[in-house]
Amino acid sequence: MDQQQQQSAIQGAKVLMVGAGGIGCELLKTLALSGFHDIHIIDMDTIEVSNLNRQFLFRRSHVGQSKAKVARDAVLRFRPHINIRSYHANVKNPEFDVDFFKQFDVVLNGLDNLDARRHVNRLCLAADVPLVESGTTGFLGQVTVHVKGKTECYECQTKPTPKTYPVCTITSTPTKFVHCIVWAKELLFAKLFGDKNQDNDLNVRANKAASASKETEDVFERAEDEDIEQYSRKIYDHVFGYNIEAALSNEETWKNRRRPRPIYSKDVLPESLTQKNGSTQNCSAASDDDSATVSAMPLLGLKNPQELWGLTQNSLVFIEALKLFFAKRKKEIGHLTFDKDDQLAVEFVTAAANIRAESFGIPLHSLFEAKGIAGNIVHAVATTNAIVAGLIVIEAIKVLKKDADKYRMTYCLEHPSRKMLLMPVEPFEPNPSCYVCSKTPLVLEINTQKSKLRDLVDKIVKAKLGMNLPLIMHGASLLYEVGDDLDDIMVANYNANLEKSLSELPSPVINGSILTVEDLQQELSCKINVKHREEFDEEKEPEGMVLSGWTQSPATNGESASTSNNESAVDVTESSSGPEIASKKRKLSETQPENHKRETENVESEDDDDLVEIENPMTVSKKKRVA
């Protein structure tokens, strides 16, 4: 009888899948083979060549096509009588509102980013539809069940955010290879090939060099008749030579630090590279139409991406890559951003990072390693995706049977723990201090006289609370709203409010004020109690405001994640050292084995498909663990 009830529940269920990537392909296949008859899939991505090694519903002929549509067509070939509807769209689009979600019996997530996960979580709460969340990182994986009022929601536990490093560390005092990667990717690559008008610290030049060269602001500009090799060497000497000399002129900085070594092209490279390596203009590494595969490595006889290049090889790659950008991809210059799938960009960033690392006495890395760091890559494992997809279906069936006592959070481990590779754990209760599912008021400490409404919207409402279409009210006064149905006068008024300090708004926000912040699309509303505060620690509180009730994960490895108030910061993703303790009712154990560390939400898998917040199952209270 139980088997008949289960089969009836499966066949009569209407299921929404969000994501058709590594997990999604395995999940759709498993759902179809398990007897599900009505499946809807949302995915905004198209298929790339790099997907084909583990997303087995796709073939090379599908490259460039919608993942959701191709996955649907592939499964219908062996299950032609079931209903599968695909949506090539962003799950945050307005048509996927609460009413859309209400039509489903369960929602299954296979998403790749924190923002979309939070959005789906809120819609599921508003629609009162159970959510099964999942993710993988290499050999690690997890599946969690979120049912309104019975288990914690996805946001009951704080999620680690990308680590940020002060720009002064990146530009002046790097100590890790990741600092060199960020410098090469976010500053140098962006300055050379991105928006030329952006400000950064790369134009600094030593005083001695300044008198014998062009104006500082012109150093990255290439004259029409300037020889490409001469220009490439000029850039090389500027960033690896003159800028290092400028940094060394500040003796105070190097009292307790290792002094870097200026590196000039004449000390590393022959006078002319053209005769040695051939003309870049005549190279046939790739056609202009295949710009993503243009490569400097074949020109230099370099074949193995896992080979460790020395200073000379890195310098040659740097010069040749820069020359190739101007010879083969000149039309793109000024609009480029770093892409880990752009071979030439990866070569350039690897070489630049290694030359800088050599200057600062930091160990060099291979192109393969550098690409992983630059793209925040954890290489995906197809087997893990398949295991996690199976676990999702198991939990979905429990949800459909309303078998709440058997819900489990299941962790997929890389190494056996207590002779288990799959660790099931009872779900946590809802966190009473969660502002999403428990409606607990937040407290915002802010200087109401100096901080503008724009600061509140950008830094708190959007960045921290994850609201896409926010509405902000103070009492009966509407201070800010976003929407397509606003007339020009309303838009102008709200834009004017953005530039006013909180205390200057039509309904002044001062100490003791209570703000109501809503997102009508997510049907989420929360209260923010405002507490005026005059001063903030520039080092520890760089945003000039502190939100309580929403706390980002602390910096790890002893590295400060803050920046000073007068400089920007650069995001870097690294693994966090452990989960936070959310409340006494959801107590986690005091200890944590070194080999089961929690990974961050923002670690990318091989190509943006399968991301996960891996919690350490060994930190869960023994009372919560299933034997």
Side-chain angles (χ1 to χ4, degrees):
M1 183 65 180
D2 185 63
Q3 188 66 29
Q4 290 180 347
Q5 288 179 337
Q6 176 173 306
Q7 199 59 32
S8 176
I10 290 173
Q11 292 179 355
K14 190 172 185 178
V15 177
L16 175 63
M17 275 179 51
V18 187
I23 293 174
C25 281
E26 293 292 335
L27 178 57
L28 181 59
K29 174 202 71 177
T30 307
L31 286 171
L33 294 176
S34 300
F36 285 85
H37 283 190
D38 194 357
I39 307 167
H40 293 235
I41 320 165
I42 302 174
D43 195 298
M44 65 182 292
D45 288 339
T46 55
I47 299 163
E48 299 178 8
V49 172
S50 56
N51 300 148
L52 303 180
N53 69 339
R54 69 195 180 285
Q55 297 175 24
F56 301 130
L57 297 181
F58 307 145
R59 299 293 181 266
R60 184 171 289 273
S61 60
H62 297 140
V63 171
Q65 298 181 41
S66 162
K67 284 187 175 182
K69 183 181 184 304
V70 173
R72 169 191 177 274
D73 294 345
V75 171
L76 285 178
R77 282 199 291 271
F78 60 85
R79 279 292 184 270
H81 303 301
I82 68 175
N83 174 54
I84 304 178
R85 183 172 178 183
S86 62
Y87 306 83
H88 180 53
N90 190 332
V91 72
K92 294 169 69 176
N93 288 352
E95 62 263 34
F96 305 123
D97 56 11
V98 173
D99 287 336
F100 175 84
F101 272 70
K102 281 182 178 178
Q103 65 182 298
F104 300 101
D105 297 297
V106 64
V107 176
L108 313 177
N109 257 0
L111 282 164
D112 64 358
N113 66 87
L114 175 61
D115 188 43
R117 279 185 163 119
R118 291 161 76 176
H119 184 77
V120 171
N121 175 63
R122 295 170 185 189
L123 287 174
C124 286
L125 286 170
D128 199 9
V129 176
L131 169 66
V132 181
E133 181 60 75
S134 69
T136 64
T137 299
F139 292 102
L140 304 177
Q142 76 179 35
V143 174
T144 56
V145 182
H146 306 282
V147 179
K148 184 176 181 179
K150 295 181 179 179
T151 71
E152 64 178 6
C153 81
Y154 176 70
E155 296 175 76
C156 277
Q157 294 190 53
T158 55
K159 304 297 184 285
T161 56
K163 178 174 289 187
T164 59
Y165 295 104
V167 166
C168 61
T169 298
I170 301 300
T171 59
S172 303
T173 56
T175 56
K176 301 178 180 180
F177 188 71
V178 66
H179 297 160
C180 301
I181 285 287
V182 173
W183 175 87
K185 181 176 77 167
E186 305 291 347
L187 298 182
L188 182 58
F189 185 90
K191 186 69 175 177
L192 282 169
F193 309 119
D195 184 0
K196 288 289 191 294
N197 297 320
Q198 69 176 335
D199 294 325
N200 66 38
D201 294 343
L202 292 178
N203 279 335
V204 175
R205 182 183 288 277
N207 293 332
K208 292 181 180 178
S211 61
S213 63
K214 295 182 179 180
E215 292 295 322
T216 299
E217 55 268 27
D218 295 332
V219 75
F220 287 95
E221 291 293 329
R222 183 191 172 204
E224 287 293 330
D225 58 346
E226 187 174 6
D227 178 74
I228 183 60
E229 184 173 322
Q230 181 181 354
Y231 172 76
S232 301
R233 286 175 177 267
K234 179 180 72 173
I235 298 299
Y236 186 107
D237 291 341
H238 175 76
V239 297
F240 302 120
Y242 301 139
N243 279 3
I244 300 300
E245 285 189 12
L248 286 170
S249 65
N250 186 350
E251 294 292 337
E252 191 69 25
T253 302
W254 310 106
K255 277 187 175 181
N256 300 309
R257 291 186 174 94
R258 177 175 176 171
R259 295 171 66 87
R261 171 171 69 96
I263 301 174
Y264 293 93
S265 60
K266 63 182 176 60
D267 300 326
V268 181
L269 302 172
E271 288 188 10
S272 176
L273 299 178
T274 303
Q275 294 179 351
K276 180 175 180 179
N277 299 318
S279 173
T280 301
Q281 302 291 343
N282 298 324
C283 74
S284 57
S287 68
D288 291 338
D289 294 332
D290 195 15
S291 60
T293 61
V294 174
S295 173
M297 290 175 62
L299 295 171
L300 302 168
L302 301 173
K303 299 179 180 179
N304 183 3
Q306 299 193 44
E307 178 186 356
L308 190 63
W309 302 335
L311 177 60
T312 299
Q313 289 172 309
N314 278 294
S315 300
L316 289 169
V317 171
F318 179 91
I319 297 292
E320 289 300 330
L322 200 155
K323 289 162 65 175
L324 276 170
F325 270 113
F326 280 90
K328 307 291 276 183
R329 301 174 61 176
K330 191 171 183 179
K331 293 180 181 178
E332 299 175 66
I333 292 176
H335 310 286
L336 282 168
T337 55
F338 177 81
D339 184 344
K340 68 182 184 301
D341 295 319
D342 184 335
Q343 177 66 20
L344 192 60
V346 172
E347 290 173 1
F348 178 85
V349 166
T350 298
N354 272 328
I355 299 168
R356 185 164 176 83
E358 175 74 20
S359 177
F360 282 85
I362 299 169
L364 309 189
H365 287 60
S366 69
L367 182 136
F368 180 81
E369 295 169 323
K371 179 180 179 180
I373 297 170
N376 302 327
I377 296 172
V378 175
H379 294 282
V381 178
T383 307
T384 313
N385 290 339
I387 293 170
V388 164
L391 293 170
I392 294 172
V393 175
I394 290 172
E395 294 305 321
I397 293 172
K398 295 177 188 176
V399 168
L400 294 173
K401 294 169 63 179
K402 303 188 184 305
D403 203 351
D405 291 339
K406 294 184 179 179
Y407 294 165
R408 294 292 181 268
M409 302 188 300
T410 306
Y411 301 90
C412 184
L413 310 179
E414 182 175 358
H415 303 288
S417 175
R418 301 175 186 174
K419 299 182 179 180
M420 291 189 293
L421 282 172
L422 294 179
M423 180 77 73
V425 179
E426 289 183 25
F428 291 125
E429 301 169 4
N431 182 356
S433 60
C434 175
Y435 74 92
V436 176
C437 68
S438 299
K439 307 300 182 185
T440 301
L442 302 170
V443 176
L444 176 65
E445 296 179 61
I446 191 170
N447 189 318
T448 57
Q449 297 171 354
K450 294 181 179 179
S451 296
K452 297 179 179 180
L453 180 62
R454 181 181 298 278
D455 298 324
L456 174 67
V457 171
D458 292 343
K459 296 179 181 179
I460 301 298
V461 177
K462 291 184 178 179
K464 285 184 167 56
L465 301 185
M467 294 188 178
N468 304 309
L469 300 173
L471 178 151
I472 303 175
M473 295 187 67
H474 181 212
S477 177
L478 185 57
L479 302 178
Y480 181 73
E481 185 179 8
V482 177
D484 296 331
D485 57 343
L486 303 179
D487 60 39
D488 293 342
I489 296 176
M490 295 171 69
V491 171
N493 287 338
Y494 294 144
N495 287 340
N497 283 348
L498 286 174
E499 304 308 322
K500 296 178 181 178
S501 68
L502 297 180
S503 60
E504 295 173 339
L505 289 168
S507 176
V509 176
I510 58 176
N511 187 59
S513 295
I514 300 176
L515 297 176
T516 301
V517 184
E518 298 182 12
D519 188 308
L520 299 181
Q521 184 185 12
Q522 299 173 351
E523 293 196 11
L524 174 67
S525 176
C526 64
K527 302 286 187 182
I528 299 179
N529 297 328
V530 177
K531 181 179 179 182
H532 175 78
R533 182 169 153 193
E534 283 291 330
E535 297 181 355
F536 293 85
D537 188 312
E538 292 184 355
E539 184 91 9
K540 297 179 180 179
E541 302 159 332
E543 292 176 331
M545 56 190 75
V546 177
L547 183 68
S548 303
W550 183 99
T551 54
Q552 66 181 21
S553 298
T556 59
N557 303 327
E559 191 87 29
S560 173
S562 64
T563 63
S564 65
N565 216 21
N566 59 354
E567 65 182 17
S568 59
V570 182
D571 286 348
V572 180
T573 303
E574 290 192 331
S575 293
S576 170
S577 60
E580 290 75 32
I581 297 175
S583 71
K584 291 182 179 179
K585 288 186 179 180
R586 304 165 62 253
K587 187 177 180 181
L588 306 179
S589 70
E590 300 289 334
T591 60
Q592 140 173 303
E594 193 64 29
N595 64 331
H596 290 306
K597 291 187 176 182
R598 176 178 180 168
E599 302 294 330
T600 70
E601 179 69 36
N602 295 320
V603 174
E604 287 190 22
S605 69
E606 193 161 348
D607 52 278
D608 301 341
D609 272 319
D610 323 305
L611 295 131
V612 67
E613 168 214 351
I614 299 293
E615 297 180 57
N616 178 7
M618 298 304 294
T619 62
V620 180
S621 164
K622 291 182 180 179
K623 291 182 180 179
K624 293 290 186 181
R625 193 180 150 268
V626 178

